Amino acid sequence: MDTRTHSGQVLSPDLLQAMDAYWRAANYLSVGQLYLYDNPLLKRPLELSDVKPLIVGHWGTTPGQNFIYVHLNRVIKKYDLDMFYVAGPGHGGPALVGNTYLEGSYSEVYPDVSQDEAGMRKLFTQFSFPGGISSHVAPSTPGSIHEGGELGYSLSHSFGAAFDNPDLVVACVVGDGEAETGPLATAWQSTKFLNPVSDGAVLPILHLNGYKISNPTILSRIAEEELEQFFQGCGWEPLFVSGDQPEPMHQLMAAALDTAVERIKEIQRHARATGDSARPRWPMIVLRSPKGWTGPKAVDGLKVEGTFRSHQVPLLVDAEHPRHVAQLEEWMRSYRPQELFDQDGTLLPELADLVPKGDRRMGANPHTNGGELLRDLRMPDFRTHAVQVTAPGGVEAQDTLVLGRFLRDVTALNERQRNFRIVGPDETVSNFLGPVFEVTNRQWLGTTVAGDESLAPDGRVLDSMLSEHQCQGWLEGYLLTGRHGLFNCYEAFIHIVDSMFNQHAKWLKVTKELPWRRDIASLNYLLTSHVWQQDHNGFTHQDPGFLDHVVNKKADVVRVYLPPDANTLLSVMDHCLRSRNYVNVVVAGKRAMPQWLSMDDAVVHCTEGAGIWQWASNDQGAEPDVVLACAGDTPTLEVLAAVSILRENLPELKVRVVNVVDLMKLQPETVHPHGLSDADYDSLFTRDKHIIFAFHGYPWLIHRLTYARTNRNLHVRGYNEEGTITTAFDMRVQNRLDRFHLVMDVIDRVPQIGARGDYLKQQMQDKLVEHRRYIGVHGQDLPEIRDWTWAGDRPGSGLTS
């Protein structure tokens, strides 16, 4: 059915009148939130003192969202839907706050904002007011899983919520400005991953009101035929609702929603009765209504409704615009509040009857407070995947391949619970996590052809879309609705979701301050194919700076781990998958590397987060002459190789080796919950000895984390934006992270070494020359680099002359 030509009367006259009144009530509350400090029911003429001194917020999208909300309430009741509302144009905060207030869910969470005149005054005053609530849809808004401070992620969040929730319908309102963002434009393709048998449904409502802040929107300025063809090409069946007159628009919207819901139910009935998971063409709605609908038509001779001027505050009301007080009052009285609320400020019973009951209210839907639904993962014993390390460095392994076997078991154990997903932009196999495909598939509803691997309509892995934005958005929606997951990605390209990480970290920070918000599973990143393992990709694939970005966030939210080998990686990942309300960033390599710690030692080391590796140190019983510290798998290898050179050539030198797994240990305990006390830090790094620190990322991050420590003799080596197509070891040489440069750093910092150090330094310089000549001829590293192994105190463990 095409609602452009539908002329039937879906709503009875009484229901139409009641729904229009409810819409007016939501609009009245929205305007009140924007403007009023007092006099919430307009029981006396409005005065300038009743208006907030600073008016901040967005009106333009709000009346359209209020219109959508009341219509969704109707279909929830009619079809007994498990549905909630994702507000893509989240700057329309008054709409979601006002509607959850009308339905009672807001007052249940915030009893001081009661459903009476005093509560309405509080509702108005707190909005965008110091000590109050933000003007966006935020974690503080009941029924929200989506922060409205940044546009682009609503549809991917909605699909993430729908995965593995077969009875859920997510109504996703997409603003036409938001629709121009890259993440949202790509998210329309998510239909290729939604299984009608085992997943829920997403009902997008594209809200075309024509304008952004000061420009028209693209999708509102193309022909309807072109718009329809665009969405059909993306796999949708659009239903159009267009107009500006309330009564016919109510009828059109009701018809469109009935059609959409019945089509969703038909798709799901067929798929679940027959097992046919072929990709259907899902319905969506295109709602075209004026921006700032029902607001001031014009202000000071300029048209406002239906233009960009209604985007934020359409009417300035202050001492410089005294006549606008009367215009504001006229605007608010146009909603006829005396017909909506009783003398006490309570919504009239006949309007309150339009609201769904209990958990069916969108502001009280349990999925929107996902911690209420969260169940612990069933976890295998990670120790069963341990690499057998009988002596440090005595065996090699591919760390992420070992982890892949552990994740395979996590996936299998939670198959029946259907509460664990792995996402990644076509990199699960490349990152050596392929063992998971022994027990599951990639979920894929697109066409398959001979030769495709691990593609099926149902699977625990979502990695068949080359979009970091979608991976992040899907996983966030999945976590926010009470499930668990892991995002694996090339390290250099995780920056694509920097801004999405920001929003999620801010969400977690705010929810920690809201006692009614339940903890959700952590957002876990596994970053591999990292900066030190890009010998075939080169400069474009080298950037460890996501770590710098992450540590900007609140200390009670972020965690960063740099496990040096497979056993520590297993221990760290087991911890991360069990954790709550964090963003965990784990960086690990996939190339074969020496393995340092037995599983028992790895568990102890990870529990401590940082520690002296006594087996690699020779300062027992004495003060060290120098501390060699490392964080990351490649820096650890080079530090130990440097130690072996020093031990063989300068046996009298007392060297302490400190390895850091938990990067936040470097911060003081007053700054981060994982931070070391000053006494514990000094016991590892000393108060005054030189520290040569080999770090996975940019060197200045270590300086930043340790700037408040007593010991200022810190010298960090890390990535310095050098290296392209070259050998693995040459990458380290070009960035001065290699063993030869580390040895020279020690010699330069410890003057008591004397002449023997001068000769060893010359040998290091000679080795660097030999290295450059060798790779230029042979295209691979020196044999002594390729074949190097840690031999401890045994002769021959260091430099080969």
Side-chain angles (χ1 to χ4, degrees), residues 675-698:
L676 291 170
S677 67
D678 285 339
D680 287 342
Y681 181 91
D682 292 343
S683 72
L684 292 180
F685 294 99
T686 78
R687 293 176 62 84
D688 57 2
K689 297 297 187 288
H690 286 283
I691 307 164
I692 312 298
F693 201 125
F695 177 51
H696 173 85
Y698 291 105

Side-chain angles (χ1 to χ4, degrees), residues 310-322:
S310 66
H311 179 76
Q312 293 178 323
V313 178
L315 185 68
L316 292 176
V317 183
D318 53 30
E320 297 180 8
H321 301 83

Side-chain angles (χ1 to χ4, degrees), residues 61-80:
T61 182
T62 296
Q65 292 201 63
N66 288 333
F67 181 82
I68 292 167
Y69 205 101
V70 66
H71 277 271
L72 293 177
N73 278 343
R74 182 190 71 86
V75 293
I76 289 171
K77 291 190 69 174
K78 178 176 179 179
Y79 297 99
D80 189 26

Side-chain angles (χ1 to χ4, degrees), residues 572-645:
V572 162
M573 191 57 69
D574 178 80
H575 167 76
C576 292
L577 291 177
R578 296 176 188 271
S579 67
R580 301 285 186 271
N581 260 39
Y582 297 141
V583 176
N584 295 311
V585 181
V586 182
V587 184
K590 64 186 183 182
R591 303 299 180 199
M593 296 280 279
Q595 302 297 301
W596 308 111
L597 301 182
S598 69
M599 181 52 77
D600 288 342
D601 290 339
V603 170
V604 171
H605 186 47
C606 291
T607 302
E608 294 173 346
I612 299 171
W613 278 5
Q614 298 186 32
W615 52 269
S617 307
N618 67 345
D619 67 325
Q620 293 87 346
E623 281 288 303
D625 296 312
V626 66
V627 176
L628 280 172
C630 45
D633 53 9
T634 299
T636 298
L637 170 63
E638 291 304 308
V639 159
L640 291 172
V643 168
S644 69
I645 294 172

Side-chain angles (χ1 to χ4, degrees), residues 502-513:
N502 283 345
Q503 297 301 323
H504 191 76
K506 289 175 181 292
W507 178 280
L508 293 178
K509 188 265 184 188
V510 173
T511 59
K512 285 178 179 289
E513 301 164 5

